């Protein structure tokens, strides 16, 4: 195992003691001084997580084409939330460990460059189709574009007692993520500046429970749309990923607790994935299933967050494990890294477009082919140029 900054510093101190006869205290690495000694060691992309993104977006696509094939396929969005919370928090902690602060404006700029240009391109296409054709699937595009471009689709859906089904209805999840990206760095920076690292970890764990308690307070059969679309009621899924990032940054590489966590996360990752797959296959998450619906919209969301966090931890800590190697298969990883966002953006309007053209035979195949084509165009013509700009502005 390569030596960590801390072990190097200790070795230098011991050499100094041997020469002078006096023991000196070695200077701690910046991350160690701030209580997160491993923060900068866990800051690279994980191929298996990118492969997991591919599986998740494929599940969402199939669900929107024919939800009877995977009644619980919408939980793929829950998995996306947990991955996002983990990745963003890991990046924030690495920056804080290096610099002692978080550069919030550059962070928000990078998020804008990553998400907004491709979204605006989709919005423009929807408006063109709405104004130049009579396709019913693009009725209401002006309102849909306004909500999507301002990341307020989830707010509108949460307040809507019916089922909002505009051409960009799926952007509710982008609203949840963007609102989390807006608030979480501010809150995390406040915690990091005022509290010890251990207390930050405990506060993050406590925050994971609050949305569950809030859902229990809100629960009523008429509150399904409110709970499903609210950032406050879905935050535990993002915070579960954030908690994994805080725990891994907090533990030194030679900490026996990290070794224990690596063993158990590796063992539980595959069962967690299997349980998530079982829910997607058999459980009608968005249907009305009596008592099950009540259980799902209170504790079920937290349970999925815990399973997703277990899976993320296992893939992060066991990159050499069989599941990591499977999900890290190069085509899967490349698709998840580069196309998953475009696939998510385009698949729902494509489904509606083909439905409005009365395509029934080969609907799934047609959706996959057309969505991949649009995602490739989005990546090469829109996303990649702006991603280069985002990298140039990294701090």
């Amino acid at each position: 195992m390569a030596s960590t900054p801390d072990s190097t510093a200790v070795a230098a101190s011991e050499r100094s003691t041997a020469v002078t006869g006096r023991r000196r205290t070695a200077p701690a690495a910046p991350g160690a001084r701030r209580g997160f000694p491993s923060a900068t060691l866990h800051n690279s992309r994980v191929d298996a997580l990118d492969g997991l993104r591919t599986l998740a977006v494929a599940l969402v696509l199939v669900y929107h084409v024919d939800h009877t094939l995977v009644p619980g396929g919408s939980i793929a969005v829950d998995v996306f939330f947990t991955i996002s919370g983990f990745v963003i928090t890991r990046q924030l902690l690495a920056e804080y460990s290096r610099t002692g602060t978080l550069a919030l404006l550059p962070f928000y700029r990078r998020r804008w460059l990553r998400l907004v240009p491709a979204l605006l391109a989709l919005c423009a296409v929807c408006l063109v189709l709405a104004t130049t054709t009579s396709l019913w699937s693009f009725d209401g595009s002006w309102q849909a574009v306004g909500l999507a471009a301002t990341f307020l689709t989830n707010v509108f859906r949460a307040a809507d007692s019916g089922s909002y089904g505009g051409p960009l209805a799926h952007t509710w999840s982008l609203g949840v993520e963007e609102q989390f990206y807006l608030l979480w760095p501010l809150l995390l920076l406040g915690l990091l500046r005022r509290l010890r690292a251990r207390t930050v970890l405990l506060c993050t764990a406590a925050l994971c429970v609050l949305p569950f308690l809030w859902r229990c307070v809100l629960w009523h059969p008429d509150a399904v749309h409110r709970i499903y679309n609210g950032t406050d009621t879905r935050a535990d899924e993002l915070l579960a990923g954030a908690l994994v990032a805080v725990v891994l940054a907090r533990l030194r590489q030679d900490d026996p607790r990290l070794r224990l966590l690596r063993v158990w996360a590796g063992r539980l990752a595959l069962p967690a994935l299997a349980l998530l797959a079982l829910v997607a296959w058999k459980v009608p998450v968005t249907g009305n299933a009596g008592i099950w619906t009540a259980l799902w919209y209170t504790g079920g969301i937290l349970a999925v967050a815990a399973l997703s966090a277990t899976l993320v931890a296992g893939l992060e800590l066991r990159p050499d494990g069989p599941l990591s190697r499977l999900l890290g298969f190069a085509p899967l990883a490349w698709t998840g890294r580069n196309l998953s966002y475009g696939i998510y953006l385009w698949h729902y309007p494509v489904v509606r477009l083909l439905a409005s053209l009365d395509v029934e035979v080969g609907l799934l195949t047609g959706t996959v082919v057309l969505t991949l084509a649009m995602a490739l165009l989005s990546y090469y013509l829109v996303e990649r140029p702006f991603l280069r700009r985002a990298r140039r502005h990294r701090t």
Side-chain angles (χ1 to χ4, degrees):
M1 179 181 296
S3 61
T4 64
D6 289 340
S7 62
T8 303
V10 171
S13 177
E14 290 173 349
R15 287 194 298 270
S16 174
T17 301
V19 172
T20 64
R22 292 177 297 175
R23 185 166 186 85
R24 298 191 308 178
T25 302
R33 287 200 301 270
R34 299 182 179 108
F36 298 99
S38 298
T40 58
L41 303 179
H42 298 279
N43 198 33
S44 58
R45 293 199 75 104
V46 179
D47 286 343
L49 288 181
D50 288 327
L52 181 61
R53 292 178 194 268
T54 301
L55 294 186
V57 77
L59 187 60
V60 172
L61 185 151
V62 173
Y63 175 78
H64 281 143
V65 171
D66 185 356
H67 66 85
T68 62
L69 297 175
V70 280
S74 64
I75 68 160
V77 176
D78 307 42
V79 177
F80 268 120
F81 285 159
T82 302
I83 295 174
S84 295
F86 170 73
V87 171
I88 290 300
T89 305
R90 182 177 60 173
Q91 293 174 356
L92 293 172
L93 289 175
E95 179 183 350
Y96 181 79
S97 294
R98 289 192 305 266
T99 67
T101 189
L102 298 178
L104 295 178
L105 288 181
F107 169 81
Y108 293 135
R109 177 185 175 84
R110 292 193 300 270
R111 287 291 88 201
W112 192 96
L113 290 172
R114 176 66 186 95
L115 299 176
V116 175
L119 175 61
L120 292 181
L122 171 63
C123 290
V125 171
C126 288
L127 289 179
V128 168
L129 291 174
T131 55
T132 61
T133 73
S134 58
L135 296 171
W136 60 260
S137 55
F138 294 96
D139 291 344
S141 285
W142 286 100
Q143 179 190 44
V145 165
L147 293 172
T150 54
F151 296 102
L152 293 175
T153 302
N154 68 310
V155 176
F156 183 86
R157 283 169 55 105
D160 185 16
S161 59
S163 178
Y164 172 66
L168 299 174
H170 65 305
T171 61
W172 73 270
S173 62
L174 299 182
V176 171
E177 289 199 6
E178 277 299 288
Q179 290 151 27
F180 177 81
Y181 294 156
L182 178 65
L183 298 175
W184 174 238
L186 292 168
L187 178 57
L188 181 61
L189 180 59
L191 294 175
L192 291 170
R193 284 179 171 175
R194 290 169 175 79
L195 302 175
R196 298 176 60 186
R198 181 182 300 176
T199 309
V200 172
L201 190 156
L202 294 175
C203 287
T204 306
L207 287 172
C208 289
V209 181
L210 291 182
F212 160 68
L213 298 177
W214 182 226
R215 289 194 298 269
C216 292
V217 172
L218 290 176
W219 170 248
H220 186 275
D222 294 335
V224 167
H225 288 279
R226 167 70 180 87
I227 292 174
Y228 188 86
N229 293 280
T231 300
D232 54 339
T233 50
R234 301 297 291 265
D236 46 347
E237 295 173 324
L238 290 136
L239 289 167
L243 180 60
V244 174
V246 174
V247 169
L248 296 186
R250 182 79 181 90
L251 297 176
R252 295 179 182 274
Q253 294 303 291
D254 59 353
D255 193 317
R257 292 172 296 180
L258 181 60
R259 290 196 293 269
L260 187 63
L261 183 61
R262 181 175 289 111
V263 170
W264 280 102
R267 290 175 178 174
L268 295 176
L270 183 57
L273 180 60
L275 285 173
L276 290 170
L278 182 63
V279 172
W281 181 35
K282 287 293 186 181
V283 178
V285 170
T286 56
N288 185 1
I291 188 62
W292 167 252
T293 302
L295 292 174
W296 179 261
Y297 282 93
T298 51
I301 294 175
L302 181 59
V304 169
L307 290 173
S308 300
T310 301
L311 179 56
V312 167
L315 297 177
E316 168 72 22
L317 290 172
R318 295 296 301 274
D320 57 340
L323 182 58
S324 291
R325 291 198 299 270
L326 176 64
L327 293 177
F329 180 54
L332 277 179
W334 187 89
T335 301
R337 182 164 53 251
N338 299 311
L339 298 186
S340 61
Y341 181 52
I343 292 172
Y344 188 79
L345 283 180
W346 285 96
H347 83 279
Y348 190 69
V350 166
V351 171
R352 291 174 60 88
L353 170 65
L354 295 180
S356 66
L357 294 173
D358 297 324
V359 175
E360 296 181 0
V361 178
L363 178 59
L364 179 57
T365 301
T367 299
V368 170
V369 171
L370 186 52
T371 297
L372 283 175
M374 297 308 298
L376 284 166
L377 289 173
S378 174
Y379 174 67
Y380 284 108
L381 299 182
V382 182
E383 295 173 56
R384 192 163 70 165
F386 280 96
L387 286 173
R388 288 171 178 166
R389 294 182 59 183
R391 282 192 288 268
R392 286 199 298 269
H393 288 87
R394 282 192 72 88
T395 58

